[in-house]
Each structure stands twice: as structure tokens, then as C-alpha cells.
Amino acid sequence: MIEARRLHILRAVADHRTVTAAAAALYLTPSAVSQQLTALEQETGHRLVERSARGVRLTAAGEILLTHTNAVLAQLERAEAELAAYSTGEAGTVTVAAFATGIGLVVAPALARLAVSAPGVRVRVQDAEGDASLPMVLDRQVDVAVAVEYRGAPGADDPRLTRVPLYAEPFDAVLPVGHRLADAERVALAELAKDAWIGPFAGNPCHDVVVLACEQAGFQPLLEHWSDDFRAVVALASAGAGVALVPRSALRGMDVTGVVVRPVEGAAPTRRVFAAVRCGAEGHPLIRPVLDALGEAAG
């Protein structure tokens, strides 16, 4: 008989690629993870992982078991949801990981709605970048992620997750007031090919949006200044340090003295935001109201 907790460990190892990283995500020791993998191999009668200096990868048998693991764990989430519904599920805590702008735009308004529509649901919010929250959901560190599309993100058809689209917003060009294009109604990105750029660090989903937009315009941005804080990005632009692309919602209420903000000509680069939960958990009587409130707040 295969133990479900060992399937959780197998999936964590597949996701994180090393025993050490999987152990950290699961709050276990590496030796405990290795012991559970060995026990799982004994239960199945197959070698499931191969270790090397670069980490761990699944064998063909491991990949087969991983496919069934995703289905089994999703069904266990559904079972927990139905049991919670059976016992009314009127009160409890849901943890949500979201990036800062998403917290202000949809999470905080959702909390205000839940205070009226589901007062027994307590929501705990953690600030996490758009690419960090999805692993937190998969590792069961949080229940809901408010995340951003990025290169390498789990796709909409990923069997481990259920996604709920929330909103999409354009990026605007932010230029110093003395910039040669400051008087333009719209800015063509190709005209910024030789400018110095200010942008998020690699790994931030917004970095991918900026770089991809510039690539589609025919150039690689000359990134000379780096910050994941858009207030810092705008401050640097106001000092004449370079140009930037910033999500429109991040500019709301911000001091834009010293810069001009212009829409991008043509198809604007866009940040697509969604909520995600472990597959099967979307029907949980505590999680469902949170997803509904997030959708209503996104409008």
C-alpha cells in the first residue's frame, strides 16, 4: 500500500529537483526525505529517482507514478473539501500569498467583502512575488496564490493546480520629464532601444514581461539599474537614470513628479494575474468564498 504522504514527497522532489530543496519546502530533514523516497521505492518495487551531482531526477517509473500522484492528491483535496462541507465549514483560516500590488488591488478588497459575506473565514496574507506563490501552494505552505504569468510558470493545463483568471493590466512607459519622447502621446518601444533601462531583477515575472516586450520590438533592453520596488524604479527615472515599463496599477497613487507616463504604442506589454489553488481544493467551503471574493474584487 502506497502512503499518500510519500507521494507528497515525490512531487516535492520532482518540483524542486534536489532532496535538500524539497526537504526545506516540506519542513523535513534531507535524510527524512531520502528515507521516505527509499520506502516508496520499496512499496512500489521500482527505482523512482536517480541522484547525480546536479540534483535528482525521476526515472521513467517515477514519471509514471508522478502522473498518478497528481490525480491522487487532487482527489484527496476534494475529499477534504467535501468533509469540510459536511461539517459546515463555516469558520476557519485560509492563507493567501500575493505580490504587493495584487494585495492592494484585489486581496484587500476581497477581505472587506468576506467580512460581510463570510465572516467566519479568517484570511492570513503573505507578501510573495508572483513567481514565488505557486510553489508555496504546491508545497502546502499556503492555500491560495495570487500570481502572475511568467516564463516557466505552470500552465493552465497543469494537473496540480486550478486557476481562476483575475485581471490583466498594461505596462506604461515611464520617462524622465526631459526625455526626447516626453511630449509624445504614445511611446514606441523600438525608439527606446538605445536608452538606459531600469527594471526588476531577473526572476521577477515583470522582468520577463519587460524583456519579452523589448525583444518583440527588436532589441534587448540595456538594463543598468535594478529594483523590484516600482517606487524605486520611478524615483530613478525621475533622476534621469533611465526609462522603464511599469504596470499601470503600480503607478496609482504614486508620486510621479519628475517623470511622464505614456501608454505604449501598439500591443502593450501586459501582466496577467490569476488565483491558483491545489487541484481539488477549489470546492473547499473555506477556499471557495475566498476565490469568489477575489474574482468579485477583480471585477
Side-chain angles (χ1 to χ4, degrees):
M1 179 69 70
I2 298 174
E3 291 191 22
R5 64 192 177 96
R6 290 176 181 148
L7 296 180
H8 280 293
I9 290 172
L10 179 70
R11 188 159 80 177
V13 169
D15 287 342
H16 294 281
R17 304 294 183 185
T18 71
V19 168
T20 301
L26 297 172
Y27 300 102
L28 297 173
T29 64
S31 62
V33 169
S34 295
Q35 290 170 7
Q36 292 300 317
L37 286 175
T38 299
L40 185 59
E41 289 179 328
Q42 292 173 347
E43 288 173 345
T44 61
H46 291 279
R47 186 180 181 188
L48 302 174
V49 298
E50 292 181 346
R51 295 171 174 81
S52 70
R54 295 182 178 180
V56 177
R57 71 177 185 88
L58 299 189
T59 64
E63 293 288 353
I64 291 171
L65 183 58
L66 180 64
T67 299
H68 291 284
T69 292
N70 291 329
V72 168
L73 295 183
Q75 191 59 42
L76 286 175
E77 293 283 356
R78 295 186 186 98
E80 289 180 7
E82 290 189 17
L83 287 171
Y86 177 75
S87 60
T88 73
E90 293 179 355
T93 300
V94 175
T95 52
V96 177
F99 56 100
T101 309
I103 291 173
L105 198 61
V106 293
V107 177
L111 264 61
R113 291 172 181 269
L114 287 166
V116 176
S117 63
V121 178
R122 179 189 177 202
V123 179
R124 298 175 63 188
V125 180
Q126 298 184 32
D127 190 331
E129 288 298 337
D131 59 334
S133 57
L134 294 178
M136 293 172 72
V137 166
L138 291 172
D139 292 336
R140 303 181 70 85
Q141 296 173 10
V142 299
D143 301 306
V144 181
V146 175
V148 178
E149 290 284 6
Y150 61 94
R151 296 187 197 188
D157 59 348
D158 192 299
R160 300 170 298 171
L161 295 168
T162 295
R163 300 184 1 166
V164 178
L166 294 179
Y167 64 92
E169 63 172 326
F171 281 59
D172 289 324
V174 177
L175 315 173
V177 291
H179 193 274
R180 65 187 182 281
L181 299 177
D183 293 331
E185 290 186 6
R186 292 179 174 271
V187 173
L189 290 183
E191 296 186 44
L192 302 175
K194 295 183 179 180
D195 284 80
W197 279 74
I198 310 156
F201 286 98
N204 185 313
C206 290
H207 172 88
D208 290 344
V209 175
V210 171
V211 171
L212 181 59
C214 292
E215 288 175 350
Q216 291 174 340
F219 69 98
Q220 285 282 340
L222 302 172
L223 282 160
E224 294 192 1
H225 308 282
W226 308 77
S227 177
D228 287 337
D229 185 333
F230 288 118
R231 293 184 184 275
V233 170
V234 171
L236 287 168
S238 71
V243 301
L245 288 174
V246 176
R248 187 166 293 171
S249 66
L251 292 166
R252 293 177 185 171
M254 191 183 296
D255 180 6
V256 292
T257 303
V259 299
V260 294
V261 179
R262 298 289 183 262
V264 174
E265 187 175 277
T270 301
R271 173 161 72 172
R272 303 186 186 281
V273 179
F274 59 92
V277 299
R278 291 179 296 277
C279 186
E282 63 276 5
H284 193 287
L286 295 176
I287 293 175
R288 183 74 256 168
V290 175
L291 291 176
D292 290 343
L294 289 169
E296 292 168 4

